[in-house]
Amino acid sequence: MDVGRGRARNVRSQYGSDLFPRPGGRGAAGGGDSADGGDGLRHDAGRPLRHPPARRPLPRLWQALVQGARTAALGTLLAAGIAAPARAQENTFPRSAIEPVLAESHFLVLERHIEAENPANLALWSLRGLTVIDPRLGAEIRQDRLRLLGEDRVLASLPIAPLTARAAPQQLGNAVAASLTELYEAAWRASPALRRAGAERLVASGFEELFNHLDPYSRYVTPTEARAARERRVGQSGLGLRVAARRDALVIAEVVRDGPAAQAGIRAGDILVAVEGRSLGPRDPGLAATLLEGPEGSDVSLTIARGRMRREVTLVREVVVPETVTAETRDGILWLRITGFSAVTDRRVATVLSDGLGGPRQPRGVVLDLRGNRGGLLGQAVAVADAFLAEGEVVRTEGRHPEANRRYRAGGQDLAQGMPVVVLVDGRTASAAEIVAVGLAERGRAAIVGSATMGKGLIQLVAPLPNEGEILVTWSRVVAPSGWPIQGMGVLPALCTSLGPEALAQGLARLNQGEPPMGRALLRQRAARAPVLASEMSALRGTCPPAEGRGADLTAARALIESPAAYGTAIRGPGG
């Protein structure tokens, strides 16, 4: 069956075609793995999305459809002769814990994902995820029924009518959750492998297969992974320290400069003996996390050991943000490096520019080094670009949900006072860093030097789930002011350094002569519109292949600042 969504391709697996084919998946519009761990850009300055609205009761028609599905499933289960496990207490399926997680997550996908998805496909893909745990299981849609397959029989079967009806995302999300919960429970009863793996692994496996069909960055974070992440960042946000377990103790692994711990004289390598009088050992990082974290402004007592000395330290919790901005003036140029975009990066950049340009000897230009910068907060990227712009659009976002379509404009003051700006990028520059580069380049405010960037231009919403896990759903794409999508293509430089010294010298010579060496490629890129063919992306990126930063980047930046003619050609743009 084809729902008529334009040119689509079937997404296949070992159990045949999907009922409703969809374009893309991990194809041309978003292929590849997330180099920044899948987090990338987060919407609205990194603030997580609140829980989706509480599930409303289903209308009577829907109640009848879902109840009919459950009755049909029960009949199929009885016919298949699936007996309850002997040790019923240990193997009870946790329906009440799983169904709310499935309902909220599928509601979010149906309402907000960048591509419209059919609920029947979501259920089918999720069900197929169980084969990773037990290869004897399978799933298919046949004769308008979603079927759970065993090795030689149908284990359970549900009508897909509740999943194909015209209804709001909330109702469809509830319907998907109801169907999956029934089928998951049937699989649980039939498969010892699933019961051994546990409910958390079952749910995670379903999500993994589901998101394999959506995009590279949408994902599910299990409660265990969320707790582990919390333990890895133990205390860092409130006390300015990070704790790690060693062979025989909990050790202070890192101390943030100027944070509460550093101001109290705590050093990396000190042993954390106790918190609030509770003794701690190498097996207690979770307990340490619980004891160290707390509301801003509250205090906490630590017992610290250094050699044979022990002392009690009381720290007051405050917001501690890792340093992301460094700067120095060298050879008459202000070199400003940004390693990420945290909540205060824009203020640090403003301070550096004010200090660097406020002295008696003005620098000849500014080099903004974004090489290796994997991104961070969207709002901070816009704010940093705004520090170099007086007006104009910086970037826009586009998505299926109305709230995903936004334009971000500069509206402040050029803190660099109009002096030449060169932005250094490389193949590891991604996400928020690409937004800064493209915003300054397309406004003619900076010359881009280096290689093609990573091309991470999708934005995720982050939502907590009832089981203390999280779901990240891609809901919009980043689009340059001229209209082309960053995802998959990346930002191309005006002066390429990844083709070797000879090509770089030729590029500089052409810029001095008023001829942009990357002009044709930049024109093609600015004419591109989503979805862009993979072959076109590859061809454009091949004009200046992505590479790690090198010394030639610094030489090229210095040469542009020292040559007004070459710099003027570089910032003029391909059509200038």
Side-chain angles (χ1 to χ4, degrees):
M1 186 181 298
D2 194 331
V3 296
R5 290 176 52 187
R7 291 180 296 175
R9 64 176 179 85
N10 287 336
V11 182
R12 298 179 180 271
S13 77
Q14 66 188 86
Y15 294 107
S17 301
D18 293 332
L19 180 66
F20 299 99
R22 61 177 295 279
R26 289 183 180 263
D33 294 325
S34 171
D36 59 358
D39 292 339
L41 286 169
R42 297 199 176 196
H43 169 66
D44 200 13
R47 289 192 292 271
L49 182 73
R50 296 183 181 274
H51 274 297
R55 292 191 293 141
R56 296 185 293 272
L58 292 173
R60 291 183 179 179
L61 172 61
W62 277 78
Q63 292 176 354
L65 286 170
V66 172
Q67 184 59 44
R70 290 177 171 171
T71 302
L74 178 60
T76 304
L77 290 172
L78 293 174
I82 298 176
R87 304 176 69 180
Q89 187 64 33
E90 289 186 15
N91 294 322
T92 300
F93 180 73
R95 169 188 287 272
S96 61
I98 286 178
E99 189 166 355
V101 173
L102 298 177
E104 293 199 11
S105 56
H106 285 86
F107 159 68
L108 189 63
V109 170
L110 289 166
E111 184 187 56
R112 303 250 176 166
H113 191 262
I114 193 169
E115 299 286 351
E117 304 298 340
N118 188 279
N121 274 351
L122 299 185
L124 176 62
W125 295 332
S126 297
L127 196 58
R128 285 177 176 168
L130 304 187
T131 63
V132 174
I133 302 174
D134 189 344
R136 298 176 301 172
L137 298 175
E140 67 178 6
I141 292 178
R142 179 177 295 183
Q143 297 177 341
D144 294 330
R145 298 184 73 83
L146 177 59
R147 310 201 312 172
L148 172 67
L149 307 177
E151 284 187 296
D152 55 2
R153 60 181 174 172
V154 176
L155 298 177
S157 174
L158 292 175
I160 64 169
L163 310 181
T164 57
R166 296 177 62 87
Q170 183 80 62
Q171 295 170 329
L172 290 171
N174 290 347
V176 171
S179 296
L180 279 177
T181 303
E182 293 290 343
L183 296 172
Y184 280 176
E185 184 167 12
W188 179 272
R189 292 175 179 174
S191 171
L194 284 184
R195 296 195 297 274
R196 286 194 299 270
E200 183 176 306
R201 182 71 190 97
L202 179 152
V203 171
S205 188
F207 278 122
E208 286 167 9
E209 179 63 17
L210 167 65
F211 289 128
N212 280 342
H213 292 268
L214 299 186
D215 67 85
Y217 306 113
S218 293
R219 63 191 178 99
Y220 168 72
V221 181
T222 69
T224 300
E225 292 168 341
R227 285 192 294 270
R230 182 169 171 265
E231 290 178 7
R232 283 195 300 270
R233 61 179 181 264
V234 55
Q236 188 169 5
S237 62
L239 301 175
L241 59 83
R242 183 171 61 84
V243 175
R246 296 294 185 258
R247 186 165 58 92
D248 55 357
L250 282 181
V251 176
I252 307 297
E254 181 181 357
V255 176
V256 178
R257 186 183 66 184
D258 297 330
Q263 293 175 10
I266 295 174
R267 303 176 189 169
D270 288 350
I271 295 175
L272 180 61
V273 177
V275 176
E276 296 291 344
R278 292 282 299 274
S279 297
L280 299 171
R283 297 184 178 181
D284 299 321
L287 177 60
T290 302
L291 295 173
L292 289 173
E293 292 182 350
E296 183 181 357
S298 61
D299 56 37
V300 59
S301 173
L302 278 62
T303 303
I304 300 294
R306 184 183 302 161
R308 296 182 179 180
M309 300 288 294
R310 286 195 180 193
R311 65 185 180 116
E312 299 288 330
V313 178
T314 298
L315 303 180
V316 178
R317 297 179 178 96
E318 63 182 50
V319 176
V320 179
V321 181
E323 183 61 77
T324 59
V325 180
T326 56
E328 65 173 325
T329 299
R330 187 176 70 250
D331 301 328
I333 297 171
L334 177 60
W335 301 83
L336 193 161
R337 177 166 177 75
I338 302 178
T339 57
F341 292 87
S342 68
V344 296
T345 299
D346 61 333
R347 281 178 272 171
R348 286 286 296 123
V349 169
T351 300
V352 165
L353 289 174
S354 176
D355 293 345
L357 305 181
R361 300 185 61 180
Q362 289 283 303
R364 293 173 294 158
V366 177
V367 175
L368 179 58
D369 191 349
L370 300 178
R371 295 174 300 172
N373 186 320
R374 299 299 182 92
L377 305 179
L378 170 60
Q380 282 292 307
V382 174
V384 168
D386 194 9
F388 297 90
L389 296 168
E391 60 181 358
E393 184 177 327
V394 176
V395 74
R396 69 185 71 162
T397 60
E398 296 178 352
R400 186 170 57 90
H401 194 276
E403 294 179 12
N405 298 293
R406 302 186 178 189
R407 291 175 183 260
Y408 298 86
R409 299 180 180 276
Q413 179 182 0
D414 178 2
L415 301 181
Q417 304 172 15
M419 68 175 51
V421 177
V422 174
V423 177
L424 301 183
V425 298
D426 66 3
R428 301 169 300 161
T429 303
S431 190
E434 291 174 296
I435 287 177
V436 174
V438 76
L440 297 181
E442 293 216 352
R443 297 257 65 84
R445 183 62 188 93
I448 311 299
V449 170
S451 73
T453 61
M454 183 176 291
K456 201 290 185 184
L458 297 176
I459 301 176
Q460 288 73 47
L461 286 173
V462 184
L465 295 173
N467 65 347
E468 298 186 355
E470 292 179 341
I471 185 172
L472 283 72
V473 175
T474 294
W475 84 317
S476 62
R477 63 173 54 89
V478 180
V479 179
S482 58
W484 58 272
I486 290 176
Q487 176 63 25
M489 286 202 293
V491 180
L492 294 178
L495 180 60
C496 180
T497 62
S498 65
L499 294 174
E502 185 176 344
L504 174 57
Q506 292 175 353
L508 279 169
R510 292 177 63 182
L511 286 172
N512 273 304
Q513 296 167 4
E515 180 185 352
M518 293 288 293
R520 290 185 179 181
L522 290 170
L523 277 174
R524 282 174 59 185
Q525 184 178 59
R526 294 192 181 186
R529 296 295 182 268
V532 182
L533 294 176
S535 58
E536 176 67 0
M537 291 184 187
S538 179
L540 286 171
R541 292 173 67 78
T543 61
C544 185
E548 288 195 19
R550 57 194 66 197
D553 302 336
L554 309 181
T555 302
R558 187 180 296 108
L560 284 182
I561 289 177
E562 292 175 349
S563 172
Y567 177 78
T569 304
I571 66 171
R572 194 170 62 231

